[in-house]
Amino acid sequence: MSKKIITLLLAGVMMLSLAACGAKEAAPAPSAPSAPAASAPAAETTGLTEAFAESPILVTSGGQSADYQMIATVMGKVGMDYEVSNLCTSADLGDAKTLIIVVGGSSKGLGAAGIDADGELARLEELIAGAESAGLSIIAMHTGGEARRGDLSDKFITPIFEKADYAIVVTAGDEDGLMAGICANNSIPMDAIASISEVTTVLPAAFK
Amino acid sequence: MTKKNYISAALCLAVSIAIMISTSMNFLAAREVPMPEWGPSVTEVKMLSDWFDGLAGTNGDTPVYVLKGEKEGGAALVLGGTHANEPSGYMSAITFIETAVVEAGTIYVIPYTNHSAMTHNDPGEGNIQYFTINTQSGPRTFRFGSRATNPIDQWPDPDVYVHYPSNQQLSGSETRNINRGYPGRADGNLTERMAYGVAELIRAENVGITFDLHEASPEYPVINATVAHQDAMNIASEGCIELLLGGIDMSLEQSPTNFHGLTHRELGDYTDTMAILMETANASQGRLRGASSVEQVLGGLDRFYVINEDLGMLYVPFDESGHPIEERCGRHLQGVYEYISAYNNANPDDAILYSGVPGYAELFLMADPATLGGPHLGSYLK
């Protein structure tokens, strides 16, 4: 009997060894989307009603996923001028009047940037504090959908969205209403869009 | 020993020899790797050893299909079969070879990048060895291989694999994983020489953009994803947006600078190519699946993954429809198209133009669901 138990235990250990073809980076276990915050209402958000933001624009990442580069590409396609820096700090704000933070955690991206999640969070908090004291408008964006949710990405969502003046969210990434709840609680206008293609209309509309 | 003992021993010996002969024949038959048919733009089939003669005469030498357009243009490379247990990679490459009509530039396609890995499989996984697809010419049988070089060709594994030139240390078995062996070295082991051969081809032919087509288990976080070298991120961003607009769920990741040996890192660092890797969802990989089967490989079906989807254990949606080979190849082939289009926008003087290759819509969205899981893909194969 004891042999059977040992055999079963060994089989269980073997099953825990995962195989895949890509990099075996340390990744958080997938988790069901976070439950809405207890304080979150039924996520009654309002969209942006009038343009408020101004150029120059600085685009950065919130979590080092490549989504910020995709947003920069979209902005280029619609003729918006911007500077982009995935590792900028308050010292890099220059004469920027609007800071766009594209949120999405990526362990590959963090590795590429040579920073860990805690370091990234500290950078963002310092950047946002600097932007606030300099009077910049802050736009928070989450455009990576469900793939950019989970423990790593969620770590960046609340501290960034709480400080935003405006938010743009692809709905597939907010089925649990986390971001809608933050925006509703903090009276932050939020436009929920079906796909990244709609960024081409909602983002330029935010600029005077 | 009694006469009865002799008879028993003789019977056991005979059965053992019969099993040995049967398994040996089975093992040796795996060395016959089925090759693609020539498509309309194939002008020649070379061997990787034509670029690096250190592979000549080895099981690591592999055919390189050259698809040349009538007009001058840039060069692209498509790598299938980096991991021979990821069939949408090499089936996409084969589909490309057999259907592409190249109008400008040259496209090199290696269907079995690790040819040695195609000649065996992983017995411990209980994997299938072959699968058959009905094509225009009738049933064609393809190999299902292994993630790593055949140990007959490269043995033994060290306890610790030290990557050249970074000195990164990985587990010993990774020494036979070509996607941990780039940029390779001319005097290295067979896997390193294969990687070196690919890099030499890229350098010699001024390949502007390189694709490495992979699959991953549904419980692996980097899935339905593109990973690109930092030099390729502008092109990858533009292409990825087009894929999203086309209804393909695709995330984009930048290649980590501190993880070595992979195409998207080393080919970008050690050649001038734009290195891009794509991943699709393979139900026959991973540990949360049922017994290996053709249904997993071609149909992308597995009831245990459906259960695990409900448990929130997966990084890709998984229902009873699975992820058939047409969806997975469609993703890869559409990806190649969109990224090359983005490359052309950035390099109009070196444009690479082709047509005729079925994309995501043709292979998957517009297909009769009853034909998914092999037959529809087969309708495009010669």
Side-chain angles (χ1 to χ4, degrees):
Chain A
M1 186 62 187
S2 61
K3 279 186 180 175
K4 284 184 179 175
I5 292 171
I6 291 169
T7 305
L8 282 171
L9 283 173
L10 285 173
V13 170
M14 287 174 66
M15 286 182 68
L16 288 175
S17 61
L18 295 178
C21 71
K24 288 183 178 57
E25 62 192 89
S31 58
S34 308
S39 59
E44 286 297 328
T45 57
T46 55
L48 190 68
T49 53
E50 61 178 319
F52 71 99
E54 297 177 79
S55 294
I57 306 167
L58 177 62
V59 180
T60 193
S61 170
Q64 298 300 326
S65 76
D67 294 347
Y68 78 97
Q69 288 162 298
M70 293 174 67
I71 291 301
T73 301
V74 170
M75 291 170 69
K77 277 182 177 289
V78 296
M80 296 177 74
D81 287 328
Y82 60 89
E83 294 290 325
V84 62
S85 170
N86 64 317
L87 288 171
C88 60
T89 66
S90 62
D92 302 310
L93 289 172
D95 59 352
K97 291 186 175 175
T98 300
L99 174 65
I100 296 177
I101 306 176
V102 186
V103 183
S106 164
S107 48
K108 275 191 189 296
L110 289 166
I115 192 169
D116 63 17
D118 291 338
E120 172 73 346
L121 201 54
R123 178 187 74 86
L124 291 163
E125 287 170 349
E126 190 274 340
L127 175 66
I128 290 170
E132 282 186 319
S133 65
L136 272 72
S137 301
I138 298 175
I139 298 176
M141 301 181 70
H142 187 279
T143 54
E146 191 179 0
R148 297 296 181 206
R149 290 299 307 277
D151 293 343
L152 182 60
S153 288
D154 290 4
K155 179 179 286 196
F156 302 105
I157 287 175
T158 300
I160 294 170
F161 273 71
E162 279 181 345
K163 300 291 186 182
D165 298 301
Y166 172 48
I168 298 172
V169 173
V170 168
T171 52
D174 199 32
E175 290 185 351
D176 61 348
L178 173 64
M179 287 170 274
I182 294 169
C183 291
N185 275 355
N186 294 279
S187 302
I188 300 165
M190 181 185 116
D191 279 309
I193 57 177
S195 79
I196 197 170
S197 63
E198 293 180 34
V199 169
T200 57
T201 53
V202 294
L203 185 60
F207 285 82
K208 294 176 183 174
Chain B
M1 189 175 278
T2 66
K3 184 179 179 185
K4 193 174 178 181
N5 291 135
Y6 280 117
I7 293 171
S8 299
L11 281 172
C12 288
L13 186 62
V15 170
S16 299
I17 290 172
I19 292 172
M20 189 175 68
I21 291 172
S22 170
T23 52
S24 297
M25 290 172 66
N26 177 271
F27 185 79
L28 290 173
R31 297 225 156 197
E32 297 297 323
V33 179
M35 289 298 153
E37 300 294 328
W38 281 43
S41 282
V42 176
T43 51
E44 60 182 325
V45 180
K46 302 178 80 167
M47 297 297 286
L48 194 55
S49 57
D50 291 332
W51 285 273
F52 172 51
D53 60 12
L55 290 170
T58 74
N59 204 22
D61 202 4
T62 191
V64 180
Y65 287 72
V66 183
L67 287 67
K68 201 168 181 58
E70 291 186 358
K71 297 177 188 169
E72 293 295 313
L77 170 64
V78 178
L79 301 173
T82 287
H83 291 148
N85 60 340
E86 296 168 11
S88 84
Y90 53 88
M91 291 309 298
S92 295
I94 291 169
T95 304
F96 195 100
I97 290 166
E98 297 189 7
T99 58
V101 178
V102 179
E103 290 131 31
T106 305
I107 303 176
Y108 301 86
V109 187
I110 306 180
Y112 305 124
T113 302
N114 188 341
H115 181 270
S116 171
M118 290 302 303
T119 65
H120 74 131
N121 67 357
D122 301 316
E125 295 285 333
N127 281 339
I128 64 169
Q129 291 181 301
Y130 301 93
F131 58 88
T132 299
I133 293 177
N134 283 319
T135 67
Q136 295 167 10
S137 59
R140 283 171 61 184
T141 297
F142 299 92
R143 285 277 304 144
F144 186 93
S146 165
R147 175 182 169 85
T149 300
N150 193 331
I152 292 291
D153 299 319
Q154 184 181 315
W155 183 261
D157 292 342
D159 291 336
V160 176
Y161 164 49
V162 181
H163 169 258
Y164 173 84
S166 72
N167 290 327
Q168 168 187 269
Q169 295 187 357
L170 294 171
S171 68
S173 62
E174 294 286 46
T175 193
R176 289 183 289 118
N177 179 354
I178 191 172
N179 206 29
R180 299 295 182 274
Y182 291 98
R185 52 181 160 181
D187 58 351
N189 61 42
L190 181 63
T191 307
E192 289 175 314
R193 281 183 279 147
M194 287 189 268
Y196 185 78
V198 172
E200 282 289 275
L201 185 162
I202 291 169
R203 286 186 282 259
E205 305 300 338
N206 296 316
V207 172
I209 185 166
T210 297
F211 299 95
D212 187 13
L213 307 181
H214 284 253
E215 299 204 86
S217 63
E219 63 266 38
Y220 180 64
V222 182
I223 195 163
N224 284 354
T226 295
V227 187
H229 187 270
Q230 65 267 21
D231 294 345
M233 283 302 287
N234 286 342
I235 285 168
S237 295
E238 187 174 332
C240 193
I241 288 168
E242 295 301 327
L243 290 170
L244 289 165
L245 297 180
I248 296 179
D249 181 21
M250 179 73 85
S251 62
L252 175 61
E253 307 282 356
Q254 183 171 317
S255 173
T257 53
N258 56 355
F259 193 55
H260 294 280
L262 296 94
T263 49
H264 53 69
R265 167 54 36 213
E266 310 298 351
L267 292 180
D269 282 353
Y270 287 88
T271 77
D272 293 329
T273 200
M274 303 280 180
I276 289 175
L277 179 150
M278 285 185 275
E279 297 271 13
T280 65
N282 181 356
S284 63
Q285 283 184 281
R287 288 296 175 272
L288 304 180
R289 61 181 169 84
S292 304
S293 67
V294 173
E295 287 70 32
Q296 285 173 349
V297 173
L298 291 180
L301 304 167
D302 187 86
R303 66 190 177 94
F304 292 99
Y305 274 133
V306 178
I307 294 169
N308 281 294
E309 163 71 3
D310 293 339
L311 295 173
M313 299 293 287
L314 308 182
Y315 285 92
V316 63
F318 209 107
D319 61 20
E320 288 77 5
S321 299
H323 294 285
I325 191 78
E326 288 84 359
E327 176 191 354
R328 289 139 56 203
C329 289
R331 291 179 61 93
H332 278 329
L333 294 170
Q334 194 69 44
V336 169
Y337 181 82
E338 299 296 356
Y339 293 127
I340 283 185
S341 296
Y343 175 86
N344 291 343
N345 291 337
N347 302 278
D349 293 337
D350 278 328
I352 303 154
L353 302 174
Y354 70 91
S355 60
V357 180
Y360 188 67
E362 292 87 354
L363 274 174
F364 182 57
L365 294 180
M366 297 192 304
D368 176 357
T371 66
L372 296 175
H376 188 61
L377 176 64
S379 70
Y380 287 95
L381 298 177
K382 288 180 176 292

